[in-house]
């Protein structure tokens, strides 16, 4: 299995890259390519099974866009070929049309607006297929005009123009404002992704991940005050 | 007139009800009556404001204690209430009913996010920024955001005292009247970036990857950009030598008593001495010998030859917890460690801590726990399962236990062949820590 981690030097906030450590513990023959801002993306000339882009500081979004712009068609091709792409937090905004006045990659139709006077922090509980996803959001922007939402909002906040939905999912592209290690915090989603990657073997520490997940899920389901 | 009504009522309230209280209700009352109370209340001739991610309370306490022991009268928010009400109360206490300041100095810890509005009213001569790193996410987002918020409050009338070893906060001094303190490369400094030091990896000028000459902790250290030449500023106050055996430090070729060997506190002391030099205070060393770290942050007692140590760390703050863990690892002897770091503010608000954004434990360097000198570990609290999952990425063998209730943690201690029991606790976990200590004492009798 080959995965590419884009911009670990800049898209690394809130512990998200521990997802990669978990993948390394899970998949024995995992081949990980870390691509910094000054390198040619591995996916440009090679096949990959998964691309992971973590949460970043807003000033790097423009750098990411500039860096990925020459590979927009290749990214579109990989998305059509069902390659898994995970983009967390504000990083998924770069695949839309615009971030404020900044022209983004234009792969999807959505646009994002920043407001640095408002730091949004919230808990989130959403539904995707037959599973509940939980997590946290920490952001200074909001997205609108998403055509294919990722999750249905059960508790917490969705998109500015569609509060009942969160994130984007198109083929195997998953973009969400959830931050941190999404695989570790959502073992059911992790299992789902691994299944898509044709990984059939046991997942290490799954019981521990599920215990933490269910503890939090119970609180999120039963404690509405967490979402006020 | 509104201000004077506010002043008199608040002073009366303070005298009648809050003389011995550490809460900031007096300041809240003052600000409620006059929203511009902080702007109007008289300030001492010299106002020193301190902020930063870590170390601001201890630094303020060092400065305040030093000035008081030197015979000055000081207005200070020593309890760490660093928003408008707490600061207003500190100043209110030292003005007459005619709004004349009786203090020589104000030493004010201020919240980094409130920099613009607080500094505008306080008009400090000196602003100290101890450091900037990832912090409690629920308030501070990321370092770019906090940096911008502090910067918004600074102006050319202020003298800045900045940490030259911190590549983030030192940039606040660009085009400002700034002085920098720094600790010279030390034997324990690392030669490369550690995975957790992710607050700055790219050059802030040209976004090229920085080359770290050495890393002290997190991103604190020395680095340079191979493309544009960006690097740490030249230090005005350079700590050249740390002599732990003789409890002495050397700054700009002058020797001083070392208040506390914890690296964080060495930085805090260096900050104090840098300020004192700028204030042109000459007799420093004799008073340094009387200064101590506040007991609530670090405390120890001994029973039947076993030390019981309480180490406080700001929970949800990855750098503060990592620093505490490294400090515990470095303590001599064999240790049993209790970790109680759940956010009690969340618990009080929601009756659970499972709503806590737990991401911080994936930004914290827990690898210090792998050290052989730490013989047993007990993690307590609602979020125990998150720690259990996190610790799967460490090699802790079977020396760790988990439990749901903080107050039960002592029950899992074996205390066999142990020299020290260390309780690493969150700020608001003081009462529970005391209960745990009482139970450990019973076990040791």
């Amino acid at each position: 299995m080959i995965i590419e981690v884009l911009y670990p030097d800049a898209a690394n906030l809130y512990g998200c890259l521990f997802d990669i450590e978990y993948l390394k513990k899970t998949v024995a023959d995992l081949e990980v390519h870390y691509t910094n801002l000054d390198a040619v993306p591995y996916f440009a000339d090679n096949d990959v099974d998964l691309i992971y882009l973590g949460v970043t500081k807003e000033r790097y979004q423009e750098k990411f866009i500039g860096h990925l712009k020459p590979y927009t068609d290749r990214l579109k091709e990989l998305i059509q070929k069902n390659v898994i792409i995970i983009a967390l937090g504000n990083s998924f905004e770069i695949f839309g049309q615009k971030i404020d006045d900044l022209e983004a990659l234009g792969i999807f139709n959505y646009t994002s607006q920043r407001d640095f006077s408002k730091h949004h922090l919230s808990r989130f509980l959403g539904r995707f297929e037959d599973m509940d996803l939980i997590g946290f959001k920490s952001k200074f922007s909001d997205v609108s005009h998403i055509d294919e939402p990722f999750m249905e909002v059960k508790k917490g906040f969705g998109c500015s123009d569609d509060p009942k939905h969160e994130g984007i999912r198109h083929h195997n592209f998953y973009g969400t404002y959830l931050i941190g290690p999404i695989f570790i915090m959502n073992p059911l989603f992790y299992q789902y992704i691994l299944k898509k990657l044709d990984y059939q073997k046991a997942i290490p520490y799954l019981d521990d991940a599920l215990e933490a997940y269910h503890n939090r899920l119970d609180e999120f389901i039963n404690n509405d005050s967490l979402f006020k | 007139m509104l201000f004077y009504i506010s002043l008199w009522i608040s002073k009366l309230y303070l005298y009648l009800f809050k003389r011995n209280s550490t809460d900031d209700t007096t300041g809240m009352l003052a600000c409620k009556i006059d929203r511009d109370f902080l702007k109007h209340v008289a300030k001492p001739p010299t106002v020193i404001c301190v902020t930063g991610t870590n170390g601001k309370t201890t630094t303020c306490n060092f400065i305040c204690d030093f000035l008081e022991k030197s015979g000055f009268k000081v207005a200070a928010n020593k309890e760490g209430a660093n928003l408008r009400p707490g600061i207003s109360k500190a100043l209110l206490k030292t003005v007459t009913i005619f709004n004349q300041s009786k203090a020589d100095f104000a030493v004010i810890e201020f919240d980094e996010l409130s920099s613009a509005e607080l500094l505008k009213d306080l008009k400090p001569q000196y602003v100290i920024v101890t450091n900037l790193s990832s912090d409690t996410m629920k308030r501070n987002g990321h370092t770019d955001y906090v940096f911008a918020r502090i910067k918004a409050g600074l102006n050319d009338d202020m003298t800045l005292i900045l940490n030259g070893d911190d590549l983030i906060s030192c940039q606040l001094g660009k085009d400002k009247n700034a002085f920098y303190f720094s600790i010279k490369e030390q034997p324990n400094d690392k030669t490369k970036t550690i995975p957790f030091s992710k607050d700055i990896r790219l050059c802030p000028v040209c976004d090229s990857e920085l080359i770290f000459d050495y890393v002290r902790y997190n991103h604190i250290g020395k680095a340079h950009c191979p493309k544009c030449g960006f690097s740490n500023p030249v230090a005005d106050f350079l700590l050249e030598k740390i002599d732990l055996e003789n409890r002495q430090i050397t700054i700009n070729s002058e020797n001083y008593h070392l208040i506390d060997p914890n690296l964080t506190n060495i930085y805090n002391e260096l900050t104090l001495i840098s300020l004192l030099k700028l204030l042109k205070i000459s007799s420093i060393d004799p008073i340094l010998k009387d200064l101590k770290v506040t007991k609530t942050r670090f405390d120890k007692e001994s029973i039947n030859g076993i030390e019981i140590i309480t180490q406080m760390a700001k929970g949800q703050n990855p750098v503060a917890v990592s620093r505490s863990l490294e400090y515990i690892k470095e303590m001599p002897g064999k240790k049993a460690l209790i970790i109680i770091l759940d956010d009690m503010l969340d618990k009080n608000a929601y009756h659970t801590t499972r709503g806590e954004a737990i991401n911080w434990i994936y930004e914290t360097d827990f690898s210090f726990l792998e050290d052989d000198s730490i013989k047993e570990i007990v993690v307590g609290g609602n979020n125990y399962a998150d720690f259990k999952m996190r610790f799967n990425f460490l090699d802790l063998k079977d020396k760790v236990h988990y439990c749901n209730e903080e107050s039960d943690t002592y029950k899992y201690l074996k205390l066999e062949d142990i020299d020290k029991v260390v309780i690493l606790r969150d700020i608001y976990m003081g009462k529970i820590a005391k209960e745990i200590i009482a139970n450990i004492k019973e076990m040791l009798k």
Side-chain angles (χ1 to χ4, degrees):
Chain A
M1 190 186 298
I2 301 170
I3 68 168
E4 177 167 20
V5 181
L6 286 176
Y7 318 128
D9 48 354
N12 52 28
L13 295 181
Y14 312 127
C16 53
L17 294 187
F18 255 91
D19 275 342
I20 310 306
E21 299 307 306
Y22 198 20
L23 275 167
K24 285 183 195 168
K25 292 260 185 197
T26 305
V27 183
D29 61 344
L30 189 73
E31 189 180 318
V32 186
H33 294 268
Y34 291 97
T35 303
N36 283 348
L37 262 172
D38 56 359
V40 175
Y42 182 79
F43 71 73
D45 303 309
N46 301 279
D47 285 336
V48 292
D49 298 300
L50 184 148
I51 296 171
Y52 190 98
L53 178 59
V55 193
T56 191
K57 294 174 181 173
E58 286 67 21
R59 70 179 155 130
Y60 291 130
Q61 287 176 307
E62 187 171 359
K63 295 280 171 190
F64 295 175
I65 292 165
H67 191 249
L68 289 175
K69 202 82 179 175
Y71 312 105
T72 306
D73 288 340
R74 173 67 175 152
L75 278 168
K76 284 179 185 169
E77 181 194 339
L78 292 174
I79 291 167
Q80 288 307 313
K81 283 168 78 175
N82 277 322
V83 166
I84 295 170
I85 299 179
I86 306 283
L88 299 179
N90 52 8
S91 286
F92 93 86
E93 295 173 353
I94 67 166
F95 296 91
Q97 295 295 323
K98 280 192 164 190
I99 302 169
D100 291 337
D101 293 329
L102 173 68
E103 197 164 313
L105 294 173
I107 295 173
F108 300 114
N109 283 331
Y110 53 82
T111 56
S112 314
Q113 295 77 40
R114 295 168 176 161
D115 180 356
F116 288 107
S117 68
K118 287 181 193 160
H119 175 216
H120 172 101
L121 182 92
S122 63
R123 302 165 182 91
F124 182 82
L125 170 59
R127 190 80 180 161
F128 168 62
E129 297 202 345
D130 61 346
M131 68 191 95
D132 288 325
L133 268 77
I134 53 176
F136 302 92
K137 296 182 180 186
S138 173
K139 62 193 180 88
F140 300 94
S141 51
D142 218 333
V143 67
S144 52
H145 305 109
I146 285 187
D147 298 329
E148 296 171 273
F150 177 13
M151 284 176 273
E152 187 186 323
V153 177
K154 287 176 82 173
K155 291 187 180 186
F157 296 87
C159 305
S160 58
D161 63 339
D162 182 8
K164 290 189 186 308
H165 293 100
E166 204 283 332
I168 174 166
R169 187 250 177 131
H170 178 73
H171 290 277
N172 281 326
F173 180 98
Y174 303 89
T176 171
Y177 274 126
L178 295 187
I179 56 169
I182 189 171
F183 294 158
I184 290 175
M185 293 187 70
N186 291 281
L188 301 181
F189 182 61
Y190 188 47
Q191 282 178 303
Y192 171 89
I193 293 293
L194 288 171
K195 201 172 163 189
K196 282 195 172 284
L197 289 165
D198 251 348
Y199 178 80
Q200 311 281 351
K201 294 179 187 165
I203 300 171
Y205 325 128
L206 185 60
D207 288 347
D208 292 341
L210 284 168
E211 185 181 8
Y213 166 77
H214 283 299
N215 282 349
R216 182 153 290 107
L217 182 63
D218 286 349
E219 296 286 356
F220 278 21
I221 289 171
N222 296 315
N223 197 337
D224 285 342
S225 66
L226 289 169
F227 297 89
K228 282 176 183 164
Chain B
M1 191 60 201
L2 188 63
F3 166 74
Y4 278 97
I5 292 168
S6 160
L7 178 66
W8 296 332
I9 289 175
S10 306
K11 270 195 165 289
L12 186 64
Y13 177 79
L14 181 74
Y15 179 76
L16 292 177
F17 305 114
K18 295 285 174 181
R19 260 181 289 180
N20 300 314
S21 170
T22 56
D23 73 32
D24 57 2
T25 49
T26 308
M28 283 182 195
L29 178 66
C31 296
K32 189 154 192 176
I33 299 169
D34 178 6
R35 285 177 61 187
D36 287 330
F37 182 88
L38 189 60
K39 182 179 171 186
H40 295 140
V41 68
K43 283 86 183 176
T46 306
V47 178
I48 301 151
C49 287
V50 182
T51 196
T53 306
N54 293 306
K56 52 186 179 284
T57 304
T58 306
T59 300
C60 272
N61 288 341
F62 278 176
I63 297 168
C64 184
D65 290 351
F66 184 96
L67 293 172
E68 283 179 342
K69 285 177 193 296
S70 301
F72 295 109
K73 187 161 176 57
V74 183
N77 53 344
K78 281 181 89 169
E79 295 93 18
N82 60 16
L83 296 168
R84 188 168 286 267
I87 297 168
S88 298
K89 179 189 165 190
L91 293 166
L92 174 145
K93 282 167 79 176
T94 54
V95 296
T96 67
I97 56 169
F98 303 110
N99 195 30
Q100 290 164 325
S101 179
K102 294 180 285 182
D104 305 296
F105 290 93
V107 178
I108 302 295
E109 173 185 333
F110 70 100
D111 171 59
E112 48 272 46
L113 297 186
S114 309
S115 171
E117 53 266 43
L118 292 177
L119 294 184
K120 181 168 62 101
D121 289 347
L122 285 164
K123 296 187 173 56
Q125 286 81 14
Y126 296 94
V127 174
I128 296 170
V129 183
T130 54
N131 50 60
L132 280 180
S133 61
S134 49
D135 194 355
T136 312
M137 186 185 71
K138 69 179 170 189
R139 286 197 63 253
N140 292 352
H142 52 64
T143 51
D144 272 13
Y145 173 59
V146 180
F147 181 92
R149 294 292 289 260
I150 294 177
K151 195 178 173 191
L154 303 179
N155 65 46
D156 293 342
D157 296 332
M158 300 166 182
T159 297
L160 308 185
I161 302 174
L162 302 171
N163 186 342
D165 296 339
D166 174 10
L167 288 155
I168 299 175
S169 64
C170 74
Q171 294 171 68
L172 289 165
K174 194 179 171 195
D175 303 325
K176 294 275 189 296
N177 179 28
F179 292 86
Y180 301 92
F181 57 86
S182 167
I183 298 177
K184 202 174 166 181
E185 186 174 7
Q186 296 295 308
N188 290 340
D189 291 339
K190 298 145 190 96
T191 49
K192 58 175 185 173
T193 342
I194 51 172
F196 296 89
S197 60
K198 48 96 192 89
D199 283 322
I200 183 165
R201 285 189 186 176
L202 302 178
C203 173
V205 178
C206 71
D207 291 322
S208 302
E209 189 158 17
L210 288 169
I211 293 175
F212 276 82
D213 305 309
Y214 57 86
V215 180
R216 188 155 296 136
Y217 68 87
N218 202 48
H219 64 276
I220 302 296
K222 192 173 181 200
H224 68 274
C225 174
K227 277 198 184 159
C228 75
F230 169 83
S231 186
N232 303 62
V234 176
D236 300 285
F237 303 100
L238 182 66
L239 194 158
E240 293 139 352
K241 193 177 162 197
I242 302 168
D243 181 354
L244 293 176
E245 203 175 319
N246 296 306
R247 283 195 80 127
Q248 200 169 66
I249 50 176
T250 308
I251 301 169
N252 290 359
S253 307
E254 290 178 20
N255 293 332
Y256 299 94
H257 171 74
L258 174 62
I259 300 170
D260 186 86
N262 183 329
L263 179 63
T264 308
N265 288 327
I266 297 175
Y267 267 108
N268 296 336
E269 183 176 350
L270 173 59
T271 313
L272 165 71
I273 293 168
S274 304
L275 170 73
L276 297 175
K277 284 290 181 187
L278 289 171
L279 290 172
K280 300 196 187 311
I281 291 176
S282 52
S283 179
I284 295 175
D285 201 48
I287 294 168
L288 287 179
K289 287 174 180 150
D290 289 339
L291 298 191
K292 286 185 174 60
V293 179
T294 312
K295 261 196 160 191
T296 52
R297 304 209 155 224
F298 179 85
D299 197 13
K300 71 175 173 185
E301 53 188 311
S302 193
I303 183 157
N304 291 337
I306 294 184
E307 278 186 336
I308 304 174
I309 295 169
T310 314
Q311 170 81 34
M312 191 180 84
K314 205 155 79 171
Q316 303 189 40
N317 178 318
V319 177
V321 176
S322 301
R323 296 296 312 126
S324 293
L325 290 168
E326 185 170 15
Y327 186 59
I328 291 164
K329 185 203 116 180
E330 296 296 333
M331 286 176 184
K334 296 168 193 163
K335 291 145 274 185
L337 173 63
I338 287 176
I339 298 175
I340 45 171
L341 288 169
D342 280 5
D343 188 330
M344 290 305 283
L345 291 181
D346 270 7
K347 195 163 193 172
N348 292 337
Y350 307 114
H351 308 292
T352 177
T353 54
R354 286 181 184 151
E356 178 182 332
I358 206 71
N359 313 62
W360 70 269
I361 68 171
Y362 289 94
E363 299 181 274
T364 300
D365 187 357
F366 283 103
S367 66
F368 302 113
L369 297 177
E370 294 174 337
D371 193 75
D372 282 343
S373 70
I374 299 174
K375 295 293 179 190
E376 46 180 320
I377 302 164
V378 185
V379 179
N382 261 196
N383 295 318
Y384 73 90
D386 295 285
F387 282 90
K388 197 196 277 187
M389 186 58 193
R390 170 68 179 86
F391 288 2
N392 282 320
F393 294 89
L394 303 169
D395 182 14
L396 297 180
K397 302 179 183 75
D398 54 357
K399 69 179 179 182
V400 57
H401 293 271
Y402 306 90
C403 65
N404 194 37
E405 291 295 331
E406 288 91 352
S407 51
D408 286 343
T409 46
Y410 77 95
K411 294 176 184 170
Y412 298 87
L413 292 174
K414 292 184 208 140
L415 300 180
E416 291 163 2
D417 195 22
I418 289 292
D419 302 306
K420 291 180 171 70
V421 182
V422 185
I423 299 161
L424 177 61
R425 69 164 181 93
D426 177 50
I427 294 174
Y428 301 102
M429 207 66 84
K431 199 175 158 193
I432 293 171
K434 277 184 185 165
E435 282 175 32
I436 294 168
I437 290 169
N439 283 310
I440 294 171
K441 280 180 178 173
E442 281 298 313
M443 289 168 73
L444 291 173
K445 271 181 185 169

